[in-house]
């Protein structure tokens, strides 16, 4: 539990920093901070699971810290869902649809890319 918490702390701090950075860099309705952490997190978890499957190089503790903790703290599905609700509630259906499709499609592609790099 402490390993998951430590990894989650680092992941959450990373998510916070990327959110602050993206707010300063990108303006508009598109929720860039949540989008970035989710697609980056998909790539990282793809790399980590690829390492685990290929070489079994992670200990149980490393798995808990990196996958459960870090990736769990870094990515944010609940914020993604809320962002979609806010965009839909505003009637911004175009941005909502782009965000939904881009997040899901890029997320799956980046999980694949992470795993493929390890093979």
């Amino acid at each position: 539990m402490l390993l998951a918490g430590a990894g989650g702390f680092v992941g959450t701090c990373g998510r916070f920093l990327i959110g602050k950075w993206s707010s300063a860099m990108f303006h508009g309705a598109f929720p860039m901070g949540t989008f970035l952490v989710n697609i980056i997190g998909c790539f990282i978890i793809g790399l980590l699971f690829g390492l685990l499957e290929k070489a079994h190089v992670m200990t149980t503790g490393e798995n808990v810290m990196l996958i459960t903790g870090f990736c769990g703290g870094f990515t944010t599905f609940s914020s993604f869902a809320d962002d979609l609700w806010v965009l839909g509630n505003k009637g911004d259906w175009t941005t909502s649809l782009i965000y939904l499709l881009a997040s899901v499609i890029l997320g799956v592609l980046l999980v694949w890319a992470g795993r493929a790099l390890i093979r």
Side-chain angles (χ1 to χ4, degrees):
M1 185 169 47
L2 292 175
L3 289 173
F9 173 78
V10 173
T12 300
C13 290
R15 180 176 76 214
F16 174 81
L17 293 172
I18 288 175
K20 289 293 182 190
W21 173 80
S22 69
S23 291
M25 297 298 294
F26 304 99
H27 305 286
F30 193 83
M32 187 59 77
T34 304
F35 177 73
L36 287 174
V37 297
N38 283 337
I39 63 168
I40 291 167
C42 287
F43 182 67
I44 291 170
I45 206 166
L47 287 172
L48 293 173
F49 273 123
L51 281 171
L52 190 60
E53 290 171 352
K54 179 179 181 181
H56 304 284
V57 294
M58 273 192 273
T59 66
T60 301
E62 291 166 337
N63 182 328
V64 168
M65 181 186 279
L66 296 172
I67 294 173
T68 303
F70 177 80
C71 289
F74 186 68
T75 61
T76 170
F77 187 78
S78 57
S79 293
F80 167 70
D82 185 64
D83 289 339
L84 284 171
W85 184 89
V86 168
L87 289 167
N89 197 45
K90 289 180 183 177
D92 194 349
W93 299 110
T94 302
T95 302
S96 183
L97 184 61
I98 291 168
Y99 181 47
L100 172 67
L101 293 174
S103 295
V104 172
I105 292 167
L106 282 173
V108 172
L109 285 173
L110 287 169
V111 166
W112 170 82
R115 288 175 176 246
L117 275 175
I118 299 302
R119 287 191 192 128

